[in-house]
Amino acid sequence: MFQPTNIIRLLLVAGLLMAWSCTAKRSTQSNANSQPGATTRQTETAKSIETAKPQTEPGALKVGEASGSYTAKGETVTLKYAYAGRAQRFGEESVVILLTDKEIPPEALAEEIKDQTMLLDGKIRGLEYAIMKDGYWVRYHPGQYQESKSPSLKDYVIENDIVKGSDEDKGGLTDGKYARSVKFVAAISK
């Protein structure tokens, strides 16, 4: 039978062996790293994992891009461009998002955010969103159909003046005449 002093000795010896083992491993790794051209398995594994990581998600939208489409009175429009800014809508400051089929020239963007002159003239087609405190409003161009919804858009976030989100509506209120399925990433213009 073990006496208490023998158990303490056994624990001390085991602790010394563990400490010596850890020190020997550390010394071996440090010697391998100090030799020119030598690498450890951990370093090689970390490098291969980093190389395998994609820089962006496949199919991820870039700033200024939209994907998806909407249907207005039987006509389907594919959306490619996303723009955002701040403007007054319904008596309050709102984030306005324009998703369009054609580019808006940079010199016309501020006016388009404020008054939608190109959209209303039919020069471009798209969706106009106003994001407010209690929800959002969307208008179809052409067609002028509009509706308000609550809460906000799906996946909607603003980070560092970049707004992202998605929206889907199968047109239940309009028997499918007005439907949309879109994603976007846009920089908020100053």
Side-chain angles (χ1 to χ4, degrees):
M1 189 154 151
F2 285 107
Q3 294 179 2
T5 55
N6 287 341
I7 293 174
I8 292 171
R9 284 184 192 152
L10 185 61
L11 289 173
L12 284 172
V13 169
L16 287 171
L17 285 173
M18 287 176 57
W20 176 79
S21 172
C22 289
T23 305
K25 280 184 182 176
R26 218 176 293 127
S27 171
T28 304
Q29 285 178 348
S30 122
N31 286 341
N33 286 338
S34 65
Q35 296 173 5
T39 58
T40 65
R41 274 191 196 147
Q42 288 178 328
T43 305
E44 290 171 359
T45 303
K47 284 182 182 177
S48 66
I49 288 172
E50 238 174 78
T51 305
K53 282 185 193 174
Q55 297 301 321
T56 58
E57 294 178 33
L61 296 173
K62 296 177 187 153
V63 175
E65 291 183 339
S67 68
S69 62
Y70 72 91
T71 301
K73 294 184 179 178
E75 180 185 3
T76 299
V77 176
T78 301
L79 301 169
K80 298 178 183 177
Y81 304 96
Y83 304 93
R86 297 187 190 279
Q88 286 289 318
R89 292 290 193 279
F90 307 105
E92 68 179 83
E93 183 74 17
S94 304
V95 174
V96 175
I97 301 164
L98 304 176
L99 307 180
T100 64
D101 64 339
K102 296 179 185 169
E103 286 186 81
I104 297 173
E107 65 275 5
L109 183 56
E111 177 66 24
E112 199 63 26
I113 294 287
K114 183 181 171 197
D115 291 323
Q116 308 78 51
T117 53
M118 294 175 71
L119 284 164
L120 292 171
D121 289 345
K123 294 178 182 174
I124 58 174
R125 299 176 297 171
L127 295 172
E128 171 192 356
Y129 287 91
I131 311 300
M132 298 164 287
K133 286 183 261 180
D134 298 329
Y136 69 97
W137 168 86
V138 60
R139 178 166 56 170
Y140 290 69
H141 295 275
Q144 302 311 312
Y145 174 77
Q146 51 191 305
E147 62 186 30
S148 295
K149 296 245 179 166
S150 184
S152 195
L153 297 170
K154 184 178 175 185
D155 309 319
Y156 178 75
V157 294
I158 297 177
E159 293 175 350
N160 300 320
D161 283 338
I162 303 294
V163 60
K164 301 176 186 179
S166 62
D167 186 27
E168 186 165 0
D169 188 310
K170 296 182 183 190
L173 293 175
T174 63
D175 294 326
K177 291 179 187 171
Y178 293 94
R180 61 191 179 273
S181 178
V182 296
K183 291 182 181 182
F184 61 89
V185 178
I188 297 176
S189 63
K190 305 286 180 197

